[in-house]
């Protein structure tokens, strides 16, 4: 009976994990859909509001959902999903209206707080007759806040008395944050378009700006075509001989896009960080947070990047910061091989391109983070599926864990190795030569290995750039097969080291931060008759049902290793 009880606990826990993963995937998918709508509608916020109303209703289990805008004095009803015709007409008659206590929506905007009413019929302040008279009861409103100021609200309702869960409330808060992104993007695009109309009405200018916006909308995850188009178009329309776009880094400014630079200057500027401070035009523009123009670069005593003069023969230079919330995240620099200052109209044009660059960078960052999160969630779901379909079998679990860990990071070679207290032995390999895999399966003493000593000591990872620096049999064998850089990430249960995942590309290559993302074993919920975590006489983990310890302990965690992404 105890075994049956333990199996029941495992089954219930697996079902819970799979359900949570499915719900997380549904939410991530909805978030991705809304972000795609935002990206595809840079000048119109209505499609985003429609998508938010639909997803908020479906994922919160509500009968109807609505989105409202607040213009500072009146609340406007702008989108809905699931409302019957009579209630829809009633809501349209009730708005616009000022904030107040008369409904969940008006109250949320007035208080800037979530308003959750289990039964509106019992709330003496709730006087929105459109809701009460049509027999709806539970209502939830989440304010849309931008810099702590209300700009709208998301409201969902149910016919029955059924309060929303905290998870559903948090989901609506996420949608509210996305609404802010959409509103801000449209504002930026509208301001940009207005500035464009004021700057230049010529066909060439309108066509060039349209082309850049098209590139932004098409290059959802690939930022480079956008940056290349920006610098090329800016240089052409401003009659510049070169253009450079640089991103802000901790120690300086990294050039990520260039136009019409000489091969010698291109090689130089791609291989060096532009200095912070006033020694470079990029540094000066970012430091001051404004446009900087130097009419004659050779005569500027503060300028220290002399290669721009000796290799590129630059005369007049213009630097424009890429500002996000007042902070420079990069710069666009234009140069001429003559002394001829840029006009105010040309400067304003580059400013507009700088705004477009900020929008593109931010959209790409948000979408990339979301895509990576979705990939990890899907990988976890697949691992849980293997665990659920292979009770008591460890090998399929090891194989899928290793395969997913490597596919997410773009690494073709590595192993999953277990630690018995003295020795590491491989239990799964990916992309390794057969003879080397056999050597790893035979095992090796952990205390003598240059990388595993630090893992035993509690380090979160071990990253060895060149294994040829160490005289160790495993490293010698790996080096002979073309491997150089290796990353070791531990598998832990609570604080106990159970093993590690090893990753390596062929040849020398620094592994970045994303490669430190890995499944980490910890906090197993199955108790296995109280024996999990103990050791047998041979020093290996002992358990009546060994798959319980491993299977129920799977979690996903990111090791923030400080390496470049």
């Amino acid at each position: 009976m105890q075994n049956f009880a333990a199996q029941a606990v495992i089954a219930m826990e697996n079902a819970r994990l799979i359900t949570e993963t499915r719900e997380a995937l549904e939410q991530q998918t909805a978030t991705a859909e809304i972000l795609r709508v935002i990206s595809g509608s840079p000048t119109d916020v209505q499609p985003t509001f429609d998508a938010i109303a639909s997803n908020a209703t479906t994922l919160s289990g509500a009968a109807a959902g609505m989105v409202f805008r607040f213009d500072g004095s009146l609340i406007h009803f702008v989108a809905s999903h699931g409302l019957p015709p009579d209630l829809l007409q009633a809501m349209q008659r009730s708005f616009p209206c000022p904030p107040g206590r008369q409904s969940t929506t008006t109250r949320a905007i007035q208080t800037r707080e979530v308003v959750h009413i289990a039964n509106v019929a019992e709330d003496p302040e709730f006087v929105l007759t459109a809701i009460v008279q049509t027999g709806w009861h539970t209502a939830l409103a989440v304010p849309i806040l931008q810099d702590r100021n209300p700009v709208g609200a998301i409201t969902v309702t149910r016919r029955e008395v059924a309060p929303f869960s905290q998870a559903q409330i948090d989901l609506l808060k996420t949608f509210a944050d996305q609404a802010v992104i959409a509103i801000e993007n449209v504002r930026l695009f509208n301001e940009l378009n207005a500035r464009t109309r004021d700057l230049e009405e010529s066909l060439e200018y309108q066509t060039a700006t349209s082309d850049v916006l098209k590139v932004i909308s098409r290059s959802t995850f690939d930022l480079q075509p956008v940056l290349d188009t920006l610098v090329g178009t800016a240089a052409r329309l401003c009659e510049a001989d070169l253009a450079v776009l640089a991103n802000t880094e901790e120690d300086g400014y990294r050039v990520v896009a260039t136009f019409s630079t000489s091969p010698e200057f291109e090689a130089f500027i791609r291989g060096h960080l532009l200095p912070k401070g006033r020694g470079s035009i990029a540094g000066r523009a970012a430091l001051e947070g404004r446009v900087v123009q130097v009419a004659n670069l050779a005569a500027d005593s503060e300028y220290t990047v002399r290669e721009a003069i000796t290799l590129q023969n630059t005369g007049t230079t213009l630097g424009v910061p890429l500002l996000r919330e007042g902070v420079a995240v990069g710069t666009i620099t234009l140069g001429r091989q003559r002394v001829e200052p840029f006009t105010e109209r040309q400067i304003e044009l580059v400013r507009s391109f700088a705004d477009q660059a900020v929008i593109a960078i931010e959209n790409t960052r948000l979408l990339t983070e979301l895509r990576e999160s979705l990939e990890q969630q899907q990988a976890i779901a697949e691992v849980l599926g293997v665990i659920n379909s292979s009770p008591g079998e460890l090998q399929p679990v090891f194989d899928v864990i290793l395969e997913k860990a490597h596919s997410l990071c773009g690494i073709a070679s590595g192993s999953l190795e277990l630690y018995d207290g003295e020795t590491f032995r491989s239990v799964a390999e990916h992309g390794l030569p057969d003879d080397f895999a056999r050597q790893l399966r035979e095992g090796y003493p952990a205390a003598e290995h240059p990388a595993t000593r630090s893992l035993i000591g509690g380090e979160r990872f071990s990253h060895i750039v060149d294994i040829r620096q160490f005289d160790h049999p495993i490293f010698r064998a790996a080096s002979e097969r073309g491997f150089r850089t290796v990353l070791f990430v531990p598998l832990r249960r609570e604080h106990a080291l159970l093993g590690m995942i090893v990753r390596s590309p062929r040849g020398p290559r620094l592994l970045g931060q994303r490669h430190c993302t890995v499944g980490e074993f910890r906090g197993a919920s199955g108790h296995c008759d109280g024996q999990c975590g103990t050791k047998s006489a041979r020093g290996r983990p002992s358990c009546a049902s060994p798959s319980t310890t491993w299977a129920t302990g799977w979690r996903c965690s990111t090791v923030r290793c400080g390496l470049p992404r």
Side-chain angles (χ1 to χ4, degrees), residues 326-499:
V327 177
V329 296
T331 59
I332 295 177
T333 304
L334 269 61
R336 286 173 170 161
Q337 292 180 323
R338 60 191 184 278
V339 176
E340 181 185 330
F342 293 88
T343 66
E344 284 300 319
R345 190 178 75 173
Q346 291 168 335
I347 292 173
E348 202 64 23
L349 172 62
V350 181
R351 279 181 174 149
S352 71
F353 284 148
D355 290 341
Q356 289 175 332
V358 171
I359 294 170
I361 291 169
E362 184 65 8
N363 281 352
T364 300
R365 181 187 68 81
L366 291 170
L367 291 169
T368 299
E369 289 179 357
L370 180 62
R371 180 184 62 183
E372 291 178 356
S373 176
L374 281 170
E375 289 174 350
Q376 293 180 21
Q377 290 285 351
Q378 290 167 354
I380 294 170
E382 291 184 37
V383 171
L384 288 174
V386 172
I387 292 172
N388 191 49
S389 63
S390 305
E393 295 184 50
L394 289 175
Q395 193 59 48
V397 177
F398 293 150
D399 291 339
V400 74
I401 288 174
L402 183 63
E403 191 275 327
K404 292 303 174 186
H406 284 186
S407 64
L408 284 175
C409 300
I411 298 296
S413 304
S415 60
L416 190 155
E417 303 177 16
L418 301 187
Y419 178 56
D420 62 9
E422 297 177 355
T423 303
F424 273 99
R425 286 185 175 84
S426 176
V427 295
E429 302 83 26
H430 188 79
L432 297 179
D434 292 341
D435 57 342
F436 187 44
R438 284 194 298 270
Q439 184 177 356
L440 294 178
R441 284 184 175 269
E442 291 173 359
Y444 53 89
E448 300 175 4
H449 193 279
T452 58
R453 285 196 298 266
S454 62
L455 301 186
I456 295 173
E459 292 293 333
R460 299 193 69 188
F461 70 95
S462 178
H463 183 215
I464 297 182
V465 176
D466 191 350
I467 60 177
R468 295 176 299 180
Q469 301 177 37
F470 300 93
D471 185 18
H472 187 273
I474 297 297
F475 280 180
R476 287 199 301 271
S479 178
E480 291 170 358
R481 290 159 178 82
F483 297 102
R484 292 290 182 271
T485 297
V486 186
L487 178 68
F488 304 81
V489 182
L491 307 177
R492 301 188 189 277
R493 182 179 183 273
E494 297 176 350
H495 298 293
L497 180 64
L498 304 181

Side-chain angles (χ1 to χ4, degrees), residues 42-118:
T43 59
D44 185 6
V45 77
Q46 188 60 46
T48 301
F49 289 157
D50 293 337
I52 288 175
S54 173
N55 283 286
T57 303
T58 303
L59 294 182
S60 68
M66 294 155 281
V67 180
F68 301 82
R69 286 292 301 272
F70 179 54
D71 62 11
S73 58
L74 294 176
I75 302 169
H76 302 265
F77 178 58
V78 295
S80 67
H81 179 82
L83 288 178
D86 57 340
L87 184 54
L88 176 61
Q89 293 175 2
M91 293 297 296
Q92 291 171 338
R93 289 192 300 267
S94 301
F95 290 90
C97 70
R101 305 289 299 178
Q102 65 268 31
S103 72
T104 49
T105 301
T106 58
R107 206 176 301 178
I109 291 176
Q110 183 184 60
T111 63
R112 298 177 172 85
E113 300 290 343
V114 173
V115 176
H116 190 193
I117 303 176

Side-chain angles (χ1 to χ4, degrees), residues 253-268:
Y253 304 95
R254 177 78 61 186
V255 171
V256 294
T258 61
F259 175 80
S260 194
T261 54
S262 68
E264 296 80 10
F265 186 60
E266 177 83 10
F268 165 78

Side-chain angles (χ1 to χ4, degrees), residues 493 498 521 524 526 528 532-533 542-543 545-554:
R493 182 179 183 273
L498 304 181
F521 291 105
C528 302
C532 291
S542 173
C543 179
S545 178
S547 64
T548 305
T549 304
W550 295 93
T552 60
W554 170 260

Side-chain angles (χ1 to χ4, degrees), residues 251-253 274-288 302:
D251 299 325
Y253 304 95
L274 296 175
K276 286 196 171 183
R278 300 187 62 80
S280 69
I281 301 303
R284 207 175 301 179
L287 180 66
E288 298 181 9
E302 294 182 294

